[in-house]
Amino acid sequence: MPRALIVHGGAGDIDAERRPRCLAGCQRAAQAGWAVLARGGAALDAVEAAVAVLEDDPEFNAGHGAALNRNGEIEVDAAVMDGALRVGAVGAAPWLRHPVHVARRLLEEGRHALLVGAGALAFAAEHGLHPETPATLVTERARQRLAQELARQAAPAEVPTGDTVGACAVDDRGHVAAATSTGGLAAKRPGRVGDTPLVGAGTYADDRAGAASATGHGESILRVLMTRVAVERLAIGDPPEVAARHAVAELEGRVQGRGGIILVDLQGRVGQARNTPAMSYCAIVDGHLTAGD
Ligand code: GLY
């Protein structure tokens, strides 16, 4: 069976000087995920490994470097889903570096699909995953972004995007998985949960068709169930590139949303689309790497 993996580092307005670092970060993440697939590992392990690399990278809005809420705090969302429709997700979880690992533990436990806030932290602690501090998670870029967003909110011009990180993969047994992680929107209200941890909105996987991870304005993405729409298009035979463009058109046409999506199908084909100025991504298909923004 063909093996493939694609990751994204978030859709939005990426400054020209940041683009090389975002591309390099996506390549490191894709290589970490591919290493799992190449040794015969599961798609679920591959997407978790790839997203953990992106969460560690201060360039991206997830984990270290996550966007700050309007109180200057980090509250993260993340989800993992496999093609057997198993899911684990956390929302508005304070100060976690690797919410993707917490989401994975929840998936494995199999009792609940989504934990939020203090409950997510308590579950994480039971699994040895503890919150960090501003000193280890907050970046200067995140502080600047909060200040800019608070100023922008005083005179709103356009819908912001919640850039996010994510990965989708298909393994050599034909199983798919997706994982997505984000700090959400800068200057969001405390307690806000976006599309990322919601099944079918920011993250979706189905062994009958493929897997998808979305990025962009969460309040728009969740209204059109963007990843579910995209995977349904794979199910009726669309190639991933076509399904990705369809999902972005749905986002824009139905709710005037901004964002992007990555997809993988059962044949090991990948696709991506966005309606923002940029979205860094990297794909590895049968060992061949492609990247862009
Ligand atoms: N797409 C990430 C968010 O809006 O939270």
Side-chain angles (χ1 to χ4, degrees):
M1 298 285 282
R3 290 170 288 197
L5 174 131
I6 181 168
V7 310
H8 70 75
D13 303 308
I14 307 175
D15 293 342
E17 61 92 22
R18 282 187 58 226
R19 286 189 180 199
R21 297 197 296 278
C22 291
L23 266 181
C26 283
Q27 289 185 19
R28 281 191 296 274
Q31 280 158 345
W34 179 256
V36 175
L37 294 180
R39 62 174 180 260
L44 186 59
D45 292 327
V47 295
E48 182 184 358
V51 166
V53 169
L54 294 163
E55 289 175 334
D56 263 330
D57 190 329
E59 210 54 59
F60 299 108
N61 175 12
H64 182 202
L68 303 176
N69 69 17
R70 71 183 190 184
N71 294 345
E73 300 154 344
I74 284 178
E75 290 183 329
V76 292
D77 299 341
V80 295
M81 184 167 183
D82 73 8
L85 308 184
R86 298 191 305 157
V87 66
V90 294
W95 298 110
L96 289 177
R97 175 180 288 259
H98 287 305
V100 73
H101 293 328
V102 183
R104 175 67 190 272
R105 302 291 197 289
L106 197 61
L107 178 151
E108 295 299 342
E109 192 184 69
R111 183 164 173 231
H112 299 308
L114 170 64
L115 291 178
V116 300
L121 276 195
F123 177 84
E126 283 173 26
H127 293 269
L129 298 163
H130 298 284
E132 296 192 18
T133 63
T136 58
L137 290 187
V138 176
T139 58
E140 188 49 35
R141 193 173 77 83
R143 285 198 185 91
Q144 286 173 6
R145 208 171 150 193
L146 173 60
Q148 283 163 4
E149 184 57 22
L150 289 171
R152 193 199 65 81
Q153 284 180 359
E158 60 177 12
V159 175
T161 58
D163 53 352
T164 296
V165 304
C168 312
V170 58
D171 62 33
D172 61 5
R173 289 174 292 284
H175 296 305
V176 297
T180 315
S181 180
T182 189
L185 296 179
K188 65 188 179 182
R189 282 183 186 274
R192 178 262 190 189
V193 174
D195 60 299
T196 294
L198 304 182
V199 173
T203 309
Y204 199 68
D206 184 344
D207 275 348
R208 296 184 306 185
S213 171
T215 164
H217 182 238
E219 282 73 2
S220 303
I221 292 168
L222 64 84
R223 286 195 282 157
V224 297
L225 291 176
M226 188 174 181
T227 53
R228 173 73 197 247
V229 161
V231 172
E232 286 301 315
R233 297 297 295 205
L234 297 179
I236 62 169
D238 277 358
E241 286 290 347
V242 175
R245 284 200 296 273
H246 175 88
V248 170
E250 188 84 354
L251 178 70
E252 187 169 317
R254 297 295 306 279
V255 295
Q256 294 76 57
R258 297 172 69 219
I261 191 166
I262 55 171
L263 286 167
V264 66
D265 73 4
L266 301 182
Q267 298 172 54
R269 299 179 298 181
V270 297
Q272 55 81 27
R274 58 176 164 80
N275 66 354
T276 54
M279 178 178 78
S280 47
Y281 67 91
C282 180
I284 304 182
V285 177
D286 273 335
H288 301 291
L289 184 150
T290 53
D293 59 9

